[in-house]
Amino acid sequence: MDFNDIQNAWNNEETNNVILPDNLEKIQEANTPLDKIRKNLKKEFIYQVLSIIFIGFIPTFYDFPPKMTTLYYLLFSLFVAVCIYYLAKFYFFYKRLSSITLKTKDNLYETYFDIRLNMELYKTFGFALTPFLILYLIGFLYLKFSEAPGFLSNDFTNYQLGALFSIVVFTMLFMGISLEWWVHKFYGKFAKEIKKVIDELKEE
């Protein structure tokens, strides 16, 4: 291969990497939904932290008995540990979105799949918190009804077992439906807009 062949090959490679103005403009259309995702993610991060702080003060609001307060904060410490793990991941995800610049198709693909991955991670986060929600509901109901005559007995009554089963089933269904709706409303529909841009680029 002589010098001219090498130069031609180099020019061809450069041409393949050039982003046409129309494509660049189309790629940058994804910045609008991306900005909305960043905005929602930032707001939700703040709300999540404030919610954790609020939950930590619930025993003082309802004047829990000492033994129940100890049990509550034992569960709360596990709850906080789970929240920190997932919120840290969402924080780093937010930092990645804030620093990314959509100038190439590869950037767009990577960003889209990162968003999809973290949408699934968000659902996992919600389901990871579901057992705590169930235990909190059971504990709250126990606190409310423990003074009722005959509530505490050696054996669980059919009513108590039915109530316990209903709490578990209702909470699981509620969390599943709520998570799907929440993720779609605040993240999924914007991810679809980015996917639409990707599909349009494929057609060109």
Side-chain angles (χ1 to χ4, degrees):
M1 180 181 288
D2 59 20
F3 177 76
N4 290 331
D5 292 334
I6 295 174
Q7 187 174 17
N8 289 333
W10 177 264
N11 290 335
N12 289 334
E13 185 178 351
E14 286 185 335
T15 302
N16 291 333
N17 290 330
V18 169
I19 303 172
L20 299 177
D22 290 342
N23 281 357
L24 180 59
E25 184 177 348
K26 190 172 292 294
I27 289 172
Q28 291 182 342
E29 287 179 7
N31 278 318
T32 300
L34 188 61
D35 288 339
K36 292 178 181 178
I37 290 175
R38 279 195 291 252
K39 183 179 179 181
N40 289 338
L41 196 60
K42 182 178 180 180
K43 284 183 178 179
E44 186 161 2
F45 185 86
I46 295 172
Y47 294 152
Q48 293 274 7
V49 173
L50 293 176
S51 297
I52 293 171
I53 295 172
F54 172 78
I55 292 172
F57 285 100
I58 285 180
T60 60
F61 299 151
Y62 289 96
D63 194 23
F64 282 16
K67 289 184 178 180
M68 194 163 185
T69 300
T70 302
L71 180 60
Y72 180 91
Y73 280 115
L74 176 62
L75 290 174
F76 180 72
S77 63
L78 297 174
F79 171 80
V80 171
V82 172
C83 289
I84 289 175
Y85 174 78
Y86 282 99
L87 290 178
K89 286 183 174 292
F90 294 136
Y91 173 77
F92 290 122
F93 171 55
Y94 173 78
K95 296 294 286 185
R96 288 197 302 273
L97 291 184
S98 299
S99 61
I100 197 166
T101 303
L102 296 180
K103 290 185 177 180
T104 66
K105 291 181 183 180
D106 289 341
N107 291 145
L108 190 59
Y109 288 140
E110 290 174 5
T111 302
Y112 173 73
F113 287 114
D114 198 12
I115 291 170
R116 295 294 304 181
L117 177 64
N118 279 273
M119 284 169 57
E120 295 304 316
L121 185 66
Y122 188 99
K123 295 177 186 178
T124 304
F125 176 40
F127 281 113
L129 297 183
T130 302
F132 295 101
L133 179 59
I134 292 172
L135 290 173
Y136 284 151
L137 287 174
I138 293 174
F140 182 78
L141 292 175
Y142 173 83
L143 184 65
K144 286 293 183 182
F145 296 107
S146 60
E147 297 179 358
F151 180 79
L152 295 176
S153 59
N154 293 330
D155 298 320
F156 283 106
T157 64
N158 291 334
Y159 170 77
Q160 290 170 339
L161 290 174
L164 184 62
F165 177 78
S166 299
I167 289 173
V168 173
V169 172
F170 172 78
T171 305
M172 293 296 293
L173 289 174
F174 173 78
M175 287 297 292
I177 295 171
S178 298
L179 284 169
E180 289 291 338
W181 176 83
W182 189 272
V183 170
H184 173 74
K185 179 176 177 61
F186 292 99
Y187 305 103
K189 64 181 181 181
F190 303 121
K192 284 184 178 180
E193 292 181 22
I194 297 175
K195 181 64 166 57
K196 182 180 178 182
V197 174
I198 292 175
D199 292 338
E200 290 174 355
L201 289 171
K202 287 181 180 178
E203 294 173 358
E204 295 181 355

